[in-house]
Amino acid sequence: MCTNIVYEWLKTLQLSQYAESFVDNGYDDLEVCKQIGDPDLDAIGVVVPHHRRRIHEAVRRLKEADETVAGLYFTPEPQP
């Protein structure tokens, strides 16, 4: 399997064993991973409760990071 952002993300969570299943189920981008819920984890094959909690927590952090970054965008005013 080639290395991608989802593999790296799962590796940081110490859950890289799920990388192939994530990609096989269409979760090959972090934007898509932000939508993961319990039914998705069932389909991916994540059945260990503390693995599920770790993924849910990581998804929450991804969403919070988006909110933080969104607050940094601004429209520059034209220079006189």
Side-chain angles (χ1 to χ4, degrees), residues 12-53:
T12 65
L13 301 174
Q14 298 179 337
L15 297 172
S16 59
Q17 68 268 31
Y18 297 111
E20 188 172 349
S21 189
F22 265 66
V23 172
D24 289 348
N25 282 279
Y27 296 94
D28 57 354
D29 182 272
L30 291 182
E31 287 301 314
V32 178
C33 288
K34 290 177 192 174
Q35 308 305 316
I36 289 175
D38 283 320
D40 305 302
L41 293 179
D42 292 339
I44 292 167
V46 182
V47 296
V48 180
H50 68 273
H51 289 182
R52 293 171 76 95
R53 280 192 301 273

